[in-house]
C-alpha cells in the first residue's frame, strides 16, 4: 500500500535508502588476529595492530573476504574480482590509526537485489548499490568520569560490511521489512549474527520527501547509527514529517547528518562543524589490492546454503503451504529447519499450524526463541503422530503439548503416564453411553422427541465420564444409534 | 695493534671464527669507540649492556659449536626508526618521548637471530624526513669527515647516525632505512657503502613508517662484501608485512664473483644535471670506464621521465606520511600536551611534538590528498610513478644495471641549505627514482672531491636482482681503491 504524507500542498512520498553496517561473523578481526567476542572486559581484545602502535601493519583476514563474497552472492550481486582498501582519514580518540581502512572507489561487491515480501502479499524488489568491507572503530565512553573520556578498543578493527541500498524504499514499513529480510539472509549465510542489540547490525538511514510524480530526488538527510528495526521505522516517520513541514513552510531541507532520539521521537541535527570531514581517501599503501580468481568465487557460490526466497518457493511447492505461512516459516533459518523436521513424512499443513500457532505462541509467552524451545522437532512430530493414529484426540493433544512445553518430556510418555490414551474400545464406550442415558431419562426423552441439540449435551456427559479419552466420533455415533435408531 | 672496531665486517667474522678474539672483546672496542665519538652525536640511545650481554651469548654459542653464521657476534648500530623491544624508540621525534616498544621489528629481530650485537639506537632526521640529519629532535649528527676549513659537515640523511657510526669505525655495520635515498645519499656523503634492496625484500613490520610504499630497510658497511653479508641477515619474507615479497633470499656474498664481463651497464643521459659539479660528472665517467675495462658493456640509455620523479616523490611521500603520522595523537603513547578539548589536545600535542620539517610534510600531504586537489596531485603523481616504472622496465630489457652518481654534491656544512627546502630535497634527485620504482640501489665510495670529501657512485638493478647489483658494485669498489679515511676515526679526532 502506498505510504503518503498528507500535507497542505498535497501528498508527499518518502524516499529511503539504507546503509546497513553488519559485523562479519569471524573469530578474528579484519586486519589482526585479535578475537571479536562481544561483551569482553574493555581493552582485552586489542593487538598491537589494533592499537596502532608505531610500525604495525595490517594483514588481511582471508576469512572476512570469503564472508563478504558469500554475502554478495546471497544478495544476488556482482562480485568484483579486483577491489582496493583505502584509508579514510579523520581524527578521533577511538580511531587509533587516525584513519579507518575501508573500501571506497573499488568495493568488493557491486549491484544486487533483495526481494521484500510485504504483509499484504505483494512483493518489492530493492536494489543493492554496493557492499564494501571496512574496520570498525573503538568505543568512546563519556559516562565513566566527570572530566575524562575512556576508550575501549575491543571493537577497533572488527570487520564490518557496509551494505548500501538504492533509494528504492518508499515507506517505514518497507524499510523495516528490508532490514529484517537482509538480516534473515545474513543469518542464513552465517556471515553476520544480526544481533542489533549487541551492535552487530546498525543502519544509517537516508531520507528525503517529494511529491508523487516528481522525477528528481530532493535533498536528503542522513540519520546516523540507528540500532533497531523499530527505531529505523520511527526515525523515518518523524524525519519525513519534519521534512514535509520544512518544505511546506517555504524552507529548504539541508543535506546533513542527524541523530534519532527515540525518547523524544525526533531527529536532531548533529553540529555540522564536527562532521564536515574531508576524509582524504587514498589507497592504503600497507595493503595490496584484493585480487580474487573466479574459481575462489565459484567455490563459495557452490557451497551457498538454500536462502529464504528459494526455501519459501520450495515450501509452497513441496508442502502445499500458503505463501504467508511459508514466508513466516522461512524468515528464520532455525525455524525453517525445525519445521522441515516436523513436516517430514507428516501432514505439512498441520505441522505448519502447530508451529505458527501453538509453538510460536508458547515461545512468545515464555520469551524464548526457537533455539531455546523446550519442545524438540522430534517431540512435536511424535505428538502429530499420536493424533494421526488416533492415540489421542486433538483436544488432548493440546494438553499434552502444554505438559511437553513445561517439562520437555516426550508426548508418548506423558500420554502413558497420565493415561490419556483415547478410548476406542466400542464396548467400553457403549457402557459409558448406556450409563449416562440411564442416569438421565428426562433428557433422553427430549432427544427421542426430536431435540437434536440435546445430543451435544449427552456427548459432553460421556466425555466427562471418560475424562475426555473417549473417541468423540464414536460417542456421537453410539448416542444417535441408541436414542434415535 | 689496531682496535677491533676498525675491522671490516668480514674481517671481524673471520677473526671470530678463527678464535683470534672474542665477541665480547670486539664489542668492548666498539663500545669504547661509541663513547669516544659522542661529540658526533651518533646515538640517541646507547645500549652497552645489551651489547655485552649479546656478545657474551655469542661467545657461549661459538664455544658450544653453535655459532649462527656470519653475523654472530658482530656489533651493529640500529637506526632509531626500528622498534626495539624494551629499548627507547624515538624516530628522533619529541612526540615519541618515552616510547619503549613491547616488540622488536622483524629486521632487527632477524639480526638478533643471526647473532648480531646491538650497540645502540642511532640518530636520524625526525621520522626519517631530511637529507642532512638536521631535523632530529636530538640535534644534528656530525659527519666524521670535516670541511677544508675544518668546518663541521652534515652526514646526509636521514640515516645520519647509522652512516656516521660506520664511517667513524664505531662498528662495522648498521641498519638504515631508505624512502627517497636515506641510505644511499648519506653513504655517498660519508664514504661508506649503503644499499636499499628491492621494495619487499626486507619486512617493514616494526619500522616506524614514513611513506609505506617507498620505505625499505638496508645496511651500511665499509665494503660491498660486508653489506652483502649484512643484507642476507636482514632480508626475508614476513607474513606480518603484506608488501613483503615471498621470495627466497639468495647468498648475496656468493654473488660477488669479481666477473663483470659482458655485463650491460646503462648510463642514463638524463642524470646529467645542469650545474652539477664537474668533478661528479668526471667521477661518473671514470666509473663507466672502470667497468668497461673489466669487460662490461657501456650502454647509453634514456629515462626521460626521471625529471618528474622528484616532484612526484614529494607528493606521494608526504601524502602517505600525513596519514601514517596521524596515529601520533597523544592518546595512547608518547608525548601528550593536554588541552580543554580533544581537538585542542591533538593540536597541542602535535604542535609541540613534531618539528618544522615534519609539520611541513604533513601539511603538504594533507593538502595533496584533499578534495579538489587529489586528482591534480596525488593521482597525477601515481601516474608519473607508473610511467617511471615502465620506463625502467623497458630499459632493463637492454641493460643489467644502471650506473649513476649517488648525490649531486659532497657533504655540506651543518646549517647550509636550511633556508630552502627545495635545495635540500634536490639532494635525493638521483636516489628517488629507485624508490619510486621499488628497485635495488647501492652507493659505493668512488673518489674524493677537490676538498677531499667522499663521493659515491650508484648501481641500480632490476627488482630482486641484488646479486647483479653486488657484482657490479664490487667491480666499482675494486677499481676505485677508495682508501681515504675521515678525520674522526674510532672517535679519535685526527
Amino acid at each position: 500500500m502506498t505510504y503518503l504524507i498528507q500535507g497542505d500542498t498535497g501528498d508527499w512520498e518518502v524516499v529511503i535508502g539504507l546503509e546497513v553496517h553488519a559485523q562479519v561473523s569471524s573469530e578474528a578481526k579484519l586486519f589482526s588476529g585479535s578475537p571479536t567476542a562481544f561483551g569482553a572486559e574493555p581493552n582485552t581484545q586489542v593487538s598491537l595492530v589494533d592499537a596502532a602502535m608505531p610500525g604495525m601493519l595490517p594483514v588481511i583476514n582471508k576469512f572476512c573476504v570469503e564472508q563478504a563474497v558469500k554475502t554478495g552472492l546471497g544478495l544476488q550481486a556482482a562480485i568484483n574480482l579486483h577491489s582496493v582498501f583505502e584509508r579514510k582519514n579523520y581524527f578521533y580518540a577511538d580511531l587509533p590509526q587516525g584513519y579507518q581502512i575501508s573500501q571506497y572507489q573499488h568495493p568488493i561487491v557491486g549491484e544486487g537485489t533483495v526481494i521484500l515480501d510485504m504483509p499484504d502479499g505483494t512483493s518489492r524488489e530493492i536494489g543493492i548499490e554496493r557492499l564494501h568491507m571496512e574496520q570498525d572503530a573503538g568505543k568512546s565512553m563519556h559516562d565513566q568520569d566527570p572530566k575524562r573520556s575512556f576508550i575501549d578498543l575491543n571493537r577497533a578493527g572488527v570487520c564490518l560490511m557496509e551494505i548500501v541500498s538504492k533509494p528504492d524504499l518508499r515507506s517505514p514499513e518497507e524499510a523495516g521489512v528490508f532490514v529484517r529480510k537482509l538480516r534473515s539472509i545474513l543469518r542464513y549465510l552465517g556471515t553476520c549474527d544480526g544481533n542489533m542489540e549487541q551492535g552487530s547490525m546498525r543502519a544509517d538511514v537516508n531520507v528525503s520527501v517529494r511529491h508523487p510524480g516528481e522525477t528528481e530526488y530532493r535533498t536528503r538527510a542522513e540519520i546516523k547509527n540507528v540500532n533497531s528495526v523499530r527505531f529505523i521505522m520511527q526515525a523515518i516517520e518523524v524525519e519525513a514529517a519534519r521534512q514535509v513541514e520544512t518544505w511546506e513552510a517555504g524552507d529548504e531541507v539541508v543535506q546533513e547528518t542527524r541523530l534519532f532520539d527515540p525518547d523524544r521521537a525526533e531527529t536532531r541535527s548533529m553540529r555540522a562543524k564536527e562532521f564536515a570531514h574531508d576524509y582524504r581517501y587514498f589507497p592504503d599503501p600497507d595493503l595490496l589490492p584484493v585480487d580474487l580468481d573466479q574459481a575462489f568465487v565459484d567455490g563459495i557460490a557452490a557451497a551457498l546454503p538454500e536462502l529464504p526466497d528459494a526455501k519459501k518457493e520450495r515450501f509452497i511447492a513441496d508442502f502445499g503451504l500458503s505463501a504467508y505461512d511459508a514466508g513466516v516459516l522461512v524468515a528464520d533459518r532455525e525455524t525453517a529447519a525445525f519445521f522441515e523436521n516436523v513436516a517430514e513424512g507428516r501432514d505439512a499443513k498441520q505441522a505448519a499450524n502447530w508451529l505458527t500457532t501453538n509453538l510460536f505462541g508458547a515461545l512468545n509467552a515464555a520469551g524464548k526463541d526457537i533455539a531455546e524451545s523446550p519442545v524438540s522437532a522430534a517431540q512435536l512430530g511424535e505428538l502429530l503422530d499420536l493424533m494421526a493414529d488416533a492415540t489421542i484426540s486433538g483436544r488432548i493433544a493440546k494438553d499434552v503439548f502444554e505438559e511437553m512445553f513445561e517439562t520437555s518430556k516426550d508426548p508418548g510418555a506423558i500420554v502413558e503416564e497420565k493415561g490419556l490414551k483415547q478410548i476406542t474400545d466400542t464396548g467400553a464406550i457403549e457402557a459409558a453411553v448406556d450409563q449416562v442415558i440411564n442416569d438421565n431419562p428426562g433428557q433422553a426423552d427430549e432427544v427421542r422427541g426430536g431435540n437434536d441439540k440435546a445430543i451435544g449435551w449427552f456427548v459432553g456427559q460421556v466425555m466427562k465420564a471418560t475424562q475426555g479419552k473417549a473417541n468423540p466420533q464414536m460417542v456421537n455415533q453410539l448416542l444417535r444409534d441408541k436414542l434415535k435408531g | 695493534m689496531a682496535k677491533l672496531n676498525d675491522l671490516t665486517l668480514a674481517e671481524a667474522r673471520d677473526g671470530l671464527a678463527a678464535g683470534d678474539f672474542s665477541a665480547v672483546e670486539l664489542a668492548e672496542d666498539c663500545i669504547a669507540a661509541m663513547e669516544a665519538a659522542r661529540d658526533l652525536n651518533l646515538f640517541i640511545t646507547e645500549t652497552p649492556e645489551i651489547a655485552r650481554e649479546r656478545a657474551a651469548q655469542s661467545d657461549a654459542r661459538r664455544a658450544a659449536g653453535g655459532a649462527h653464521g656470519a653475523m654472530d657476534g658482530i656489533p651493529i648500530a640500529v637506526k632509531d626508526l626500528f622498534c626495539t623491544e624494551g629499548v627507547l624508540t624515538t624516530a628522533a621525534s619529541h612526540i615519541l618521548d618515552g616510547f619503549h616498544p613491547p616488540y622488536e621489528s622483524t629486521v632487527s629481530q632477524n639480526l638478533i637471530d643471526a647473532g648480531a650485537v646491538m650497540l645502540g639506537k642511532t640518530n636520524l632526521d625526525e621520522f626519517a624526513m631530511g637529507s642532512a640529519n638536521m631535523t632530529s629532535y636530538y640535534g644534528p649528527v656530525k659527519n666524521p669527515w670535516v670541511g677544508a676549513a675544518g668546518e663541521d659537515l652534515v652526514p646526509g640523511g636521514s640515516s645520519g647516525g647509522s652512516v656516521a657510526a660506520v664511517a667513524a669505525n664505531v662498528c662495522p655495520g648498521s641498519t638504515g632505512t631508505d624512502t627517497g635515498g636515506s641510505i644511499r645519499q648519506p653513504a655517498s656523503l660519508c664514504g661508506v657503502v649503503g644499499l636499499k634492496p628491492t621494495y619487499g625484500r626486507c619486512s617493514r613490520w616494526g619500522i616506524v613508517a614514513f611513506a609505506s610504499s617507498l620505505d625499505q630497510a638496508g645496511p651500511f658497511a665499509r665494503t660491498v662484501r660486508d653489506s652483502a653479508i649484512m643484507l642476507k641477515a636482514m632480508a626475508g619474507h614476513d607474513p606480518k608485512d603484506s608488501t613483503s615479497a615471498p621470495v627466497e633470499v639468495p647468498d648475496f656474498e656468493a654473488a660477488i664473483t669479481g666477473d663483470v664481463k659482458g655485463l650491460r651497464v646503462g648510463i642514463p643521459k638524463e642524470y646529467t644535471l645542469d650545474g652539477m659539479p664537474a668533478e661528479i660528472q668526471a667521477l661518473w665517467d671514470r666509473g663507466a670506464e672502470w667497468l668497461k675495462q673489466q669487460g662490461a658493456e657501456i650502454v647509453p640509455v634514456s629515462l626521460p621521465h626521471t625529471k618528474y620523479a622528484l616532484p612526484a616523490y614529494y607528493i606521494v611521500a608526504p601524502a602517505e606520511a600525513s596519514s601514517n603520522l596521524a596515529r601520533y595523537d597523544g592518546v595512547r603513547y608518547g608525548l601528550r600536551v593536554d588541552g580543554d578539548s580533544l581537538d585542542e589536545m591533538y593540536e597541542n600535542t602535535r604542535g609541540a611534538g613534531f618539528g618544522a620539517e615534519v609539520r611541513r610534510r604533513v601539511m603538504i600531504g594533507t593538502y595533496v590528498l584533499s578534495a579538489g586537489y587529489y586528482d591534480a596531485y596525488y593521482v597525477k603523481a601515481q601516474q608519473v610513478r607508473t610511467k617511471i616504472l615502465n620506463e625502467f622496465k623497458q630499459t632493463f630489457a637492454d641493460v643489467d644495471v644502471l650506473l649513476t652518481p649517488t648525490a649531486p654534491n659532497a657533504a655540506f656544512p651543518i646549517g647550509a641549505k636550511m633556508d630552502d627546502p627545495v635545495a635540500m630535497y634536490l639532494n635525493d634527485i638521483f636516489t628517488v627514482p629507485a624508490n619510486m620504482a621499488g628497485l635495488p640501489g647501492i652507493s659505493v665510495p668512488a673518489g674524493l672531491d677537490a676538498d677531499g670529501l667522499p663521493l659515491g657512485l650508484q648501481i641500480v638493478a632490476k627488482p630482486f636482482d641484488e646479486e647483479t647489483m653486488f657484482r657490479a658494485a664490487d667491480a666499482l669498489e675494486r677499481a676505485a681503491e677508495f682508501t681515504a679515511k675521515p678525520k674522526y676515526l674510532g672517535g679519535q679526532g685526527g
Side-chain angles (χ1 to χ4, degrees):
Chain A
M1 210 180 75
T2 320
Y3 179 85
L4 292 172
I5 299 169
Q6 264 109 49
D8 299 335
T9 59
D11 288 344
W12 295 83
E13 70 172 0
V14 53
V15 177
I16 305 147
L18 293 176
E19 294 167 22
V20 177
H21 298 261
Q23 178 179 336
V24 168
S25 297
S26 89
E27 298 288 318
K29 293 181 181 178
L30 179 52
F31 296 114
S32 80
S34 305
T36 58
F38 176 78
E41 283 295 302
N43 295 313
T44 56
Q45 303 190 145
V46 186
S47 73
L48 297 169
V49 174
D50 306 324
M53 302 299 278
M56 291 300 99
L57 299 171
V59 175
I60 191 152
N61 178 345
K62 189 182 168 197
F63 181 69
C64 291
V65 175
E66 279 179 40
Q67 291 286 65
V69 168
K70 202 173 181 184
T71 305
L73 292 168
L75 300 175
Q76 304 168 52
I79 305 300
N80 295 324
L81 296 180
H82 175 80
S83 66
V84 177
F85 281 101
E86 306 205 25
R87 292 185 184 176
K88 178 182 184 178
N89 294 282
Y90 65 96
F91 284 96
Y92 202 64
D94 57 23
L95 187 74
Q97 294 157 308
Y99 54 84
Q100 176 194 34
I101 305 177
S102 179
Q103 295 188 310
Y104 183 55
Q105 287 191 14
H106 305 280
I108 191 161
V109 175
E111 295 188 331
T113 308
V114 171
I115 295 166
L116 308 188
D117 298 311
M118 302 306 295
D120 65 2
T122 60
S123 73
R124 289 265 288 126
E125 220 170 82
I126 304 300
I128 296 294
E129 180 71 36
R130 60 184 275 163
L131 175 156
H132 71 251
M133 305 171 72
E134 64 187 24
Q135 319 173 278
D136 204 351
K139 198 170 83 179
S140 295
M141 294 177 286
H142 304 295
D143 54 358
Q144 311 279 311
D145 185 278
K147 282 191 168 165
R148 297 173 300 172
S149 292
F150 291 162
I151 307 293
D152 176 9
L153 295 180
N154 281 354
R155 287 192 69 88
V158 163
C159 180
L160 303 178
M161 298 180 282
E162 181 172 328
I163 302 165
V164 182
S165 86
K166 291 183 183 292
D168 289 349
L169 299 160
R170 291 291 176 273
S171 70
E173 186 185 32
E174 281 185 8
V177 172
F178 174 81
V179 173
R180 284 200 191 92
K181 182 62 177 281
L182 188 61
R183 184 170 60 184
S184 163
I185 293 170
L186 298 180
R187 283 175 167 168
Y188 265 73
L189 293 165
T191 57
C192 169
D193 66 23
N195 289 333
M196 298 188 90
E197 61 285 359
Q198 293 182 359
S200 298
M201 244 178 105
R202 48 194 200 262
D204 298 340
V205 188
N206 287 291
V207 178
S208 66
V209 296
R210 64 179 176 183
H211 290 300
E214 286 180 13
T215 52
E216 300 292 315
Y217 297 127
R218 296 197 184 201
T219 309
R220 67 174 193 268
E222 183 180 14
I223 309 158
K224 279 275 181 201
N225 249 328
V226 193
N227 62 5
S228 83
V229 173
R230 195 161 58 89
F231 289 166
I232 289 169
M233 294 169 67
Q234 282 178 6
I236 293 167
E237 215 169 293
V238 298
E239 175 59 17
R242 183 192 71 86
Q243 291 186 13
V244 166
E245 238 174 74
T246 305
W247 289 120
E248 296 205 325
D251 295 330
E252 293 266 323
V253 168
V254 291
Q255 184 159 349
E256 63 179 351
T257 304
R258 299 180 71 84
L259 269 184
F260 176 61
D261 179 346
D263 296 331
R264 301 169 64 173
E266 62 176 30
T267 67
R268 277 198 304 276
S269 181
M270 292 164 89
R271 274 180 301 142
K273 180 174 162 278
E274 233 173 277
F275 295 89
H277 286 306
D278 177 354
Y279 290 120
R280 290 171 283 123
Y281 280 100
F282 74 108
D284 191 327
D286 286 332
L287 291 163
L288 304 173
V290 180
D291 286 305
L292 307 174
D293 48 39
Q294 190 58 47
F296 173 81
V297 177
D298 293 345
I300 294 171
L304 277 190
E306 185 184 37
L307 292 174
D309 291 337
K311 202 180 280 283
K312 181 182 168 191
E313 290 309 310
R314 185 167 59 81
F315 281 10
I316 293 169
D318 291 4
F319 295 129
L321 298 188
S322 70
Y324 179 80
D325 278 352
V328 169
L329 290 170
V330 303
D332 176 71
R333 188 181 186 170
E334 277 81 34
T335 304
F338 195 105
F339 165 73
E340 281 202 80
N341 278 336
V342 178
E344 193 58 49
R346 302 193 177 94
D347 179 341
K349 282 186 189 171
Q350 191 190 21
N353 276 336
W354 270 83
L355 239 72
T356 53
T357 50
N358 303 60
L359 182 62
F360 286 3
L363 287 172
N364 268 343
K368 292 182 169 169
D369 67 27
I370 191 98
E372 304 162 317
S373 171
V375 175
S376 71
Q379 287 172 327
L380 185 58
E382 191 191 335
L383 184 67
L384 298 196
D385 292 343
L386 291 175
M387 281 186 278
D389 67 10
T391 305
I392 54 173
S393 67
R395 207 179 66 70
I396 292 285
K398 287 186 174 125
D399 297 340
V400 173
F401 177 81
E402 274 178 32
E403 177 82 12
M404 289 163 71
F405 200 87
E406 289 276 303
T407 63
S408 289
K409 282 186 188 163
D410 288 343
I414 295 168
V415 168
E416 200 61 45
E417 214 174 87
K418 303 216 158 175
L420 297 175
K421 207 164 175 189
Q422 183 160 254
I423 300 163
T424 50
D425 171 357
T426 317
I429 295 174
E430 195 167 0
V433 167
D434 288 345
Q435 182 71 47
V436 172
I437 293 173
N438 289 337
D439 289 350
N440 300 285
Q443 281 88 339
D445 285 344
E446 272 189 43
V447 178
R448 290 192 189 99
N451 183 355
D452 273 7
K453 281 180 190 164
I455 286 191
W457 181 85
F458 271 103
V459 172
Q461 292 304 307
V462 176
M463 294 308 286
K464 198 171 170 186
T466 59
Q467 292 101 49
K469 292 183 286 184
N471 182 314
Q473 285 81 34
M474 290 172 72
V475 173
N476 211 302
Q477 195 55 52
L478 278 169
L479 281 166
R480 283 177 189 280
D481 290 350
K482 286 185 187 289
L483 295 171
K484 305 201 73 181
Chain B
M1 186 192 142
K3 292 281 190 186
L4 297 176
N5 53 289
D6 292 326
L7 299 178
T8 66
L9 200 156
E11 287 166 352
R13 169 191 63 180
D14 297 344
L16 286 167
D20 296 345
F21 47 82
S22 69
V24 168
E25 288 167 331
L26 177 59
E28 288 300 343
D29 279 4
C30 290
I31 291 167
M34 170 170 73
E35 289 170 353
R38 279 185 186 147
D39 180 48
L40 299 179
N41 198 23
L42 305 177
F43 288 83
I44 291 172
T45 305
E46 296 178 355
T47 59
E49 299 77 16
I50 290 176
R52 290 186 174 108
E53 186 190 327
R54 288 186 189 158
Q57 289 165 353
S58 173
D59 285 335
R61 273 195 299 273
R62 200 174 295 278
H68 283 175
M71 290 299 293
D72 207 337
I74 302 293
I76 57 163
V78 175
K79 187 178 186 178
D80 203 14
L81 202 62
F82 293 81
C83 290
T84 42
E85 189 175 354
V87 177
L88 179 69
T89 297
T90 68
S93 181
H94 187 26
I95 209 158
L96 274 171
D97 271 8
F99 176 59
H100 291 73
Y103 50 92
E104 184 81 28
S105 83
T106 298
V107 165
S108 54
Q109 184 64 50
N110 287 347
L111 286 165
I112 292 172
D113 294 344
V117 169
M118 181 172 76
L119 290 174
K121 306 291 295 291
T122 58
N123 204 344
L124 66 150
D125 279 300
E126 184 180 4
F127 284 102
M129 296 179 189
S131 306
N133 213 116
M134 290 298 293
T135 70
S136 169
Y137 176 68
Y138 297 91
V141 171
K142 284 188 202 169
N143 194 323
W145 300 76
V146 296
E151 69 273 28
D152 287 334
L153 303 177
V154 302
S158 64
S159 313
S162 277
V163 69
V166 170
N169 283 6
V170 166
C171 48
S174 62
T175 68
T177 60
D178 189 317
T179 304
S182 281
I183 292 175
R184 292 159 291 154
Q185 181 260 10
S188 178
L189 270 54
C190 289
V192 303
V193 176
L195 79 93
K196 175 193 95 71
T198 310
Y199 184 80
R201 180 66 95 181
C202 289
S203 169
R204 295 183 297 110
W205 192 90
I207 301 174
V208 174
F210 163 13
S212 310
S213 72
L214 300 156
D215 296 344
Q216 258 301 288
F220 289 105
R222 286 195 288 277
T223 70
V224 172
R225 181 173 302 275
D226 287 2
S227 63
I229 293 168
M230 194 163 158
L231 179 62
K232 165 94 176 146
M234 295 168 68
H237 178 236
D238 180 4
K240 291 187 290 189
D241 174 2
S242 310
T243 64
S244 146
V247 293
E248 285 297 308
V249 180
D251 183 350
F252 296 122
E253 191 184 5
I256 301 172
T257 60
D259 181 8
V260 291
K261 281 192 196 67
L263 187 76
R264 297 168 301 167
V265 179
I267 308 290
K269 66 174 185 193
E270 288 80 8
Y271 282 59
T272 301
L273 298 182
D274 290 343
M276 187 165 77
E279 49 201 338
I280 288 178
Q281 180 68 48
L283 182 72
W284 188 14
D285 295 343
R286 212 176 313 141
E289 190 56 35
W290 288 334
L291 293 173
K292 195 175 167 189
Q293 281 166 2
Q294 294 179 64
E297 183 192 341
I298 303 302
V299 185
V301 297
S302 175
L303 293 164
H305 285 91
T306 293
K307 61 174 175 285
Y308 303 116
L310 194 71
Y313 170 86
Y314 273 98
I315 290 167
V316 174
E320 293 182 10
S322 70
S323 176
N324 282 337
L325 268 55
R327 66 187 55 197
Y328 306 106
D329 56 7
V331 174
R332 298 170 311 288
Y333 46 77
L335 181 74
R336 176 189 291 183
V337 181
D338 281 326
D340 286 339
S341 67
L342 182 63
D343 283 345
E344 215 180 286
M345 190 273 278
Y346 287 153
E347 288 165 11
N348 294 346
T349 300
R350 290 167 65 83
F354 291 143
E357 182 61 27
V358 172
R359 290 203 301 270
R360 171 167 24 240
R361 297 200 197 188
V362 168
M363 293 297 287
I364 292 170
T366 304
Y367 178 81
V368 299
L369 289 176
S370 297
Y373 300 99
Y374 180 77
D375 290 339
Y377 290 104
Y378 185 80
V379 171
K380 190 72 82 184
Q382 290 294 3
Q383 289 166 347
V384 169
R385 196 171 176 181
T386 304
K387 282 216 178 294
I388 290 167
L389 186 64
N390 290 338
E391 210 166 80
F392 272 119
K393 266 188 196 156
Q394 284 164 14
T395 304
F396 277 120
D398 301 325
V399 302
D400 301 307
V401 295
L402 297 168
L403 174 70
T404 78
T406 307
N409 48 250
F412 45 89
I414 284 178
K417 299 182 197 280
M418 291 306 287
D419 50 352
D420 184 356
V422 175
M424 188 69 89
Y425 296 169
L426 280 170
N427 247 263
D428 294 328
I429 190 141
F430 299 134
T431 48
V432 152
N435 297 88
M436 294 293 270
L439 306 174
I442 188 168
S443 178
V444 178
L448 299 174
D449 74 355
D451 292 332
L453 296 175
L455 296 170
L457 287 176
Q458 176 179 230
I459 298 283
V460 175
K462 296 174 196 170
F464 299 104
D465 191 15
E466 284 88 353
E467 289 164 283
T468 304
M469 176 189 81
F470 280 122
R471 197 152 54 91
D474 166 65
L476 267 187
E477 182 181 52
R478 277 184 292 103
E481 294 181 320
F482 185 89
T483 53
K485 291 293 173 194
K487 185 180 175 209
Y488 286 93
L489 209 53
Q492 310 303 313

